[in-house]
Amino acid sequence: MFRQALEGVTPLAPPDRIAPVPRPRKTVARNQHTAAEIPDNLSDHGAGDVAITEFLRPGLNRLTLRKLRHGEWRIQDELDLHGLNSDAARKLLAEFLHDAAHRGLRCINVIHGKGWRSEGRDGILKVLTRHWLAQHPQVLAFCEAPPQAGGGGAVWVLLKSG
């Protein structure tokens, strides 16, 4: 009965689309010369248990943060800290920010993850990453990435120019 119902039906042509390939996550290539010149002065002290959702350097207009949240600066590079312990993440973040400043980047994406296994609290890497970013002198502002770009597991960071 089913075959009779399908009699005379023409099959659709296969789609000519190419399946999307996810972008590889970028990390900073470590070299000893770079690591030696980068001070490790980001502190864990006072980080607390709750991650801050946004940061704006004192003296800057709130419009700067609004523009960042609305994506008015193009993301120029990203760093993924998933799976790292806090010491390794801190060092890699410091290296990445140093490298970004030398390359003249203005806007970056830092992926730290949401910390799902944190029993109702924010993940430790999420809390610490945002705490470190607020301490770094090159960081002007940051905000949570929109849901399609990582949501609570990532931050968009605006860096000083020049």
Side-chain angles (χ1 to χ4, degrees):
M1 207 152 114
F2 179 73
R3 289 184 193 209
Q4 287 177 346
L6 290 179
E7 229 173 78
V9 173
T10 308
L12 294 174
D16 60 349
R17 291 189 204 169
I18 297 173
V21 177
R23 294 184 306 159
R25 303 239 188 237
K26 294 182 181 179
T27 57
V28 177
R30 292 185 177 203
N31 64 43
Q32 291 180 340
H33 177 68
T34 304
E37 69 184 46
I38 300 170
D40 186 8
N41 56 2
L42 301 177
S43 170
D44 297 355
H45 183 70
D49 291 334
V50 179
I52 54 179
T53 57
E54 62 185 26
F55 168 79
L56 183 65
R57 183 99 24 222
L60 292 178
N61 191 326
R62 296 266 322 153
L63 188 59
T64 303
L65 192 57
R66 184 176 173 200
K67 287 179 178 181
L68 181 62
R69 218 180 288 114
H70 287 100
E72 292 196 25
W73 284 281
R74 184 179 60 84
I75 300 296
Q76 296 171 301
D77 205 351
E78 71 179 25
L79 173 68
D80 191 346
L81 300 173
H82 275 111
L84 298 177
N85 65 35
S86 62
D87 284 339
R90 186 187 68 250
K91 289 174 185 173
L92 189 59
L93 179 64
E95 288 177 21
F96 184 73
L97 291 170
H98 180 81
D99 179 61
H102 280 287
R103 292 179 14 208
L105 302 183
R106 284 302 311 267
C107 192
I108 59 171
N109 185 26
V110 178
I111 303 164
H112 47 63
K114 295 179 182 178
W116 289 115
R117 292 170 277 178
S118 300
E119 296 148 11
R121 299 175 314 202
D122 284 333
I124 189 69
L125 201 54
K126 177 179 181 175
V127 171
L128 288 174
T129 299
R130 293 171 184 210
H131 183 68
W132 297 327
L133 286 169
Q135 296 174 46
H136 200 282
Q138 289 296 322
V139 175
L140 295 177
F142 69 78
C143 65
E144 277 193 0
Q148 69 274 15
V155 285
W156 285 356
V157 183
L158 181 65
L159 302 173
K160 286 183 179 178
S161 62

